[in-house]
Amino acid sequence: MKREDLDVYLLIAALMILLFYKNYGNILKILMNLSIYLVMILAAASFIILIKMRRLSPRKGPLVVPARLSVYDKDANINLNKLKDIAEGMGLRIIFLISIGRSGLMGRSPGKVAYKVLLLGKDREMIRAGASAINSTSEGFKIELMERNLNPDLAQEIIEICDESEVASIGVGRNPERDEPLLELGERKGRVIGIPVGELTKHILVIGQTGSGKTTTVKRIIYEAWNLGIPSLVLDSHWEYRNLIFGMGGRIFCSRAGYPQVCINPLISIPKGEKEIFLVAETLSSLLDLTPSQFYLLLKALRRLSDISSEKNPPNMYDLLMEIKGFSTSSQPEEESRASLVRKLEPLVSGDGEAIFKCDNILSTGFEEVPTLLELGDVESDLQKRLIAFFTLKRIKDYYIREEAKSRYPKLIVVLEEAEKLIPYYKDQIGMELISRLFAELRKFGVALVLVSQSLSEIPEGAVRNTGIKIIHKVESPSDLKFLRTFMREKNIVDKILTLAPGECIMNFPGGVESLQVRSVDELPLSRESVDEVIMMNSFYWISR
Ligand SMILES: Nc1ncnc2c1ncn2[C@@H]1O[C@H](COP(=O)(O)OP(=O)(O)OP(=O)(O)O)[C@@H](O)[C@H]1O
Ligand SMILES: [Mg+2]
């Protein structure tokens, strides 16, 4: 028995003795009135025990008070690091719980956004003072403490998760009862319109001229999918997904100094043999626009590298360049061809190309668990972007194939913004088949692609054919309209495409055609600097649930 428990029992015993002593002479009378005394004694005893037990329950760690950080002014510039500093200055710790549930953050009420926040401190007084201090720092937002404290066990669990990892994330559980939920995109005349989740892996094409609402639509898809527990991997070049991904508890990688970086080695699978060698050769040939003789040289170099390396120690682009540089040539045309190939490969191993293609950490970004942004805005050339995109897709495919779990329910959505700049344009039939096969395999293993482009004619036809759902925003280009007429069943709809306002679109899918107004996602009003600082410092813990 603990010492504190003993105190309680002693206290009760003392009380009972006192009562008994005072009433000793009237014992018979007491017995007659026993019921009323008994009730009184029991009530007093339980009261004492209750108070004692409340004080006895050991609190693990600090007091944790849930709070709400409501942002009233959508343009409020909240510097999260500043809030953290203020809290820390007052001996508190602040944890932002980014809730993305339907009733939670980024909710449906426009103009107002809220975070869930946990404030950790010694006692409620201290926490209250901290919250007031934070509230007084600027306008447009307010921290309101909840009356209750957080269950100590749950609080402890969250703190442990936060302490263990740089970025903590708790995925959204799927609801097995609603096997095929609808990914709600928007509405038409009050009717909700969306994509059944199981259809996503048919792949989606989003087209429309500039400013027609493509990115807004894709953000809705990403947001809705994450509500269902499906993460997205976004490849963008204009930082347009920063706040969305960040706000969903996701991760951001780019090739800017100081940020978390991603690198991908296109040659990592070369030691596996001829099939992989040919895929790499065909892809590089298409991206670098190689002549047949250069293709042959490349193939020869890749085969040699495959022979002299192992899966544990794969070659990289630098090794490839060195291999080709070392080839001896027997004629002037052959030498020219080799020199030109070297010139084409050099940008891939110099400048920022060296950092991007030398190592390979794409599979450790956590893309299969939380929304992830690969921001390619700082990548020097379109060629490098295409290589990153293609080999990222391939790596993802290989990853899910290894898992050997075929799935119609999507596990991941991959968004390619400006897809025309990311998908390789294969010159020949073999190349086209490579892309078709890649798309089909991604589909089979539960990866849904979202290709975004301003024009249909700029995307390889094979890629267009491999998208089962087409979301069409306003398009005016005659060639695109002509193309659309070839596959839209309801021809009169095509005329409507010319008149769509931003955010309006026509969705063409195997089951039919729908026109709708897309509902935009209310994003976090965070400044670029604020997000940058947090990403670079890695000092915040983002939990989404
Ligand atoms: N669903 C929508 N609801 C309300 N406004 C919208 C919607 N979609 C687009 N808009 C408006 O149109 C603007 C441009 O949208 P968005 O950036 O999505 O276009 P885009 O097609 O991606 O353009 P770009 O080709 O230049 O990338 C938005 O900033 C917004 O003001
Ligand atoms: Mg856009």
Side-chain angles (χ1 to χ4, degrees):
M1 190 190 290
K2 286 185 192 151
R3 222 192 131 232
E4 292 89 340
D5 292 349
L6 203 67
D7 287 353
V8 178
Y9 292 121
L10 282 175
L11 206 71
I12 295 167
L15 197 75
M16 288 181 78
I17 291 167
L18 191 73
L19 276 167
F20 191 74
Y21 175 77
K22 270 201 88 176
N23 296 290
Y24 187 69
N26 298 324
I27 192 93
L28 273 174
K29 231 166 128 190
I30 291 169
L31 280 176
M32 283 169 72
N33 290 320
L34 188 66
S35 54
I36 181 91
Y37 276 96
L38 203 65
V39 170
M40 277 174 67
I41 291 167
L42 279 177
S46 349
F47 183 61
I48 293 168
I49 291 174
L50 217 78
I51 290 181
K52 206 62 187 161
M53 273 182 37
R54 274 188 72 125
R55 259 196 279 143
L56 281 180
S57 70
R59 216 178 45 232
K60 301 174 201 161
L63 178 71
V64 181
V65 180
R68 216 181 130 82
L69 175 68
S70 302
V71 183
Y72 297 102
D73 177 1
K74 268 196 87 177
D75 300 322
N77 185 355
I78 308 175
N79 186 334
L80 298 171
N81 289 304
K82 204 167 132 197
L83 301 196
K84 178 184 160 248
D85 289 344
I86 296 169
E88 280 181 358
M90 299 192 66
L92 301 179
R93 190 168 161 194
I94 187 164
I95 293 178
F96 291 82
L97 299 179
I98 305 278
S99 159
I100 57 132
R102 277 170 196 282
S103 56
L105 179 80
M106 299 198 228
R108 310 268 152 134
S109 56
K112 190 174 157 187
V113 191
Y115 300 82
K116 282 181 184 160
V117 174
L118 292 183
L119 284 161
L120 282 63
K122 230 169 77 205
D123 54 45
R124 190 167 264 274
E125 248 350 278
M126 207 172 147
I127 290 174
R128 202 173 286 138
S132 313
I134 289 172
N135 285 344
S136 65
T137 55
S138 88
E139 289 179 353
F141 68 89
K142 193 173 168 206
I143 289 188
E144 293 152 292
L145 298 186
M146 305 275 165
E147 272 314 308
R148 66 196 166 82
N149 300 343
L150 198 70
N151 167 335
D153 290 336
L154 176 61
Q156 189 61 26
E157 211 171 291
I158 290 173
I159 295 163
E160 271 165 25
I161 295 171
C162 292
D163 285 342
E164 269 169 26
S165 54
E166 280 179 353
V167 183
S169 27
I170 301 165
V172 183
R174 268 175 210 152
N175 184 352
E177 285 158 30
R178 284 171 65 214
D179 205 16
E180 188 105 343
L182 194 70
L183 207 123
E184 294 174 15
L185 290 186
E187 51 258 304
R188 177 174 165 75
K189 293 180 182 158
R191 187 167 61 92
V192 173
I193 297 173
I195 306 168
V197 168
E199 305 277 295
L200 286 174
T201 44
K202 290 197 160 82
H203 301 324
I204 302 171
L205 178 69
V206 182
I207 62 150
Q209 62 198 41
T210 180
S212 59
K214 301 180 295 294
T215 301
T216 309
T217 299
V218 175
K219 284 180 175 175
R220 181 93 232 158
I221 295 174
I222 294 170
Y223 171 72
E224 286 281 323
W226 186 231
N227 265 347
L228 298 166
I230 306 162
S232 297
L233 171 67
V234 182
L235 275 69
D236 184 36
S237 293
H238 299 286
W239 287 101
E240 285 199 87
Y241 291 82
R242 174 207 309 258
N243 284 13
L244 179 76
I245 297 291
F246 189 70
M248 295 193 307
R251 294 159 200 185
I252 301 175
F253 299 87
C254 74
S255 65
R256 190 177 289 180
Y259 276 80
Q261 313 259 320
V262 173
C263 53
I264 184 152
N265 175 7
L267 308 189
I268 202 164
S269 56
I270 287 293
K272 284 195 183 137
E274 192 58 25
K275 207 173 130 201
E276 294 291 328
I277 293 173
F278 198 78
L279 177 90
V280 172
E282 185 71 27
T283 305
L284 286 178
S285 167
S286 140
L287 295 179
L288 300 168
D289 200 15
L290 301 188
T291 62
S293 67
Q294 286 170 341
F295 177 73
Y296 169 73
L297 268 178
L298 177 69
L299 205 57
K300 200 168 113 184
L302 288 172
R303 283 182 179 142
R304 228 191 88 72
L305 285 174
S306 170
D307 288 344
I308 59 172
S309 60
S310 67
E311 284 185 41
K312 266 197 179 152
N313 196 8
N316 60 31
M317 296 300 283
Y318 182 77
D319 300 323
L320 178 66
L321 185 71
M322 286 300 122
E323 190 64 32
I324 293 168
K325 273 186 173 172
F327 278 156
S328 55
T329 48
S330 52
S331 67
Q332 182 65 15
E334 206 184 325
E335 176 51 31
E336 273 167 20
S337 171
R338 189 189 65 94
S340 147
L341 176 58
V342 166
R343 275 197 302 279
K344 286 177 178 175
L345 280 170
E346 241 151 14
L348 298 178
V349 293
S350 59
D352 64 0
E354 186 185 350
I356 298 170
F357 301 116
K358 203 171 184 179
C359 63
D360 199 283
N361 63 4
I362 195 95
L363 291 186
S364 47
T365 57
F367 68 84
E368 74 284 17
E369 284 173 359
V370 285
T372 304
L373 170 62
L374 297 192
E375 175 55 53
L376 307 179
D378 292 299
V379 174
E380 270 167 13
S381 71
D382 283 355
L383 171 63
Q384 289 172 342
K385 285 184 193 175
R386 274 189 212 274
L387 269 174
I388 295 171
F390 179 82
F391 286 99
T392 298
L393 285 182
K394 183 178 178 301
R395 198 59 47 77
I396 288 170
K397 183 210 79 180
D398 291 345
Y399 170 82
Y400 284 112
I401 284 183
R402 248 201 333 266
E403 281 204 333
E404 283 183 1
K406 288 187 188 171
S407 170
R408 205 173 83 86
Y409 196 99
K411 293 186 193 133
L412 175 74
I413 293 174
V414 180
V415 174
L416 301 184
E417 270 277 351
E418 294 185 307
E420 72 280 1
K421 289 193 184 149
L422 299 182
I423 302 174
Y425 228 115
Y426 288 106
K427 284 173 289 187
D428 53 15
Q429 194 55 33
I430 301 171
M432 271 335 302
E433 276 168 22
L434 284 179
I435 256 287
S436 296
R437 198 154 2 107
L438 178 62
F439 278 32
E441 279 175 320
L442 285 167
R443 166 179 308 142
K444 198 161 68 187
F445 290 97
V447 178
L449 287 173
V450 177
L451 310 179
V452 189
S453 180
Q454 288 188 6
S455 167
L456 265 176
S457 47
E458 285 181 36
I459 296 198
E461 205 187 320
V464 176
R465 252 190 290 117
N466 272 291
T467 53
I469 299 169
K470 294 180 176 67
I471 297 176
I472 303 145
H473 284 277
K474 184 174 181 174
V475 168
E476 282 178 321
S477 122
S479 62
D480 276 355
L481 289 168
K482 195 172 155 203
F483 193 8
L484 285 171
R485 279 200 177 84
T486 61
F487 68 79
M488 299 278 277
R489 267 183 268 153
E490 295 173 44
K491 304 292 174 212
N492 58 338
I493 292 246
V494 179
D495 299 329
K496 235 182 115 178
I497 290 170
L498 270 164
T499 64
L500 294 172
E504 285 178 352
C505 68
I506 308 260
M507 187 161 67
N508 189 75
F509 54 101
V513 180
E514 293 270 19
S515 70
L516 65 141
Q517 168 71 44
V518 174
R519 210 188 294 142
S520 57
V521 176
D522 221 355
E523 283 179 63
L524 292 174
L526 293 171
S527 70
R528 181 182 174 143
E529 294 72 29
S530 182
V531 178
D532 276 3
E533 264 182 61
V534 173
I535 298 167
M536 289 199 271
M537 280 170 45
N538 265 337
S539 63
F540 269 81
Y541 308 111
W542 303 94
I543 300 178
S544 51
R545 66 178 179 85

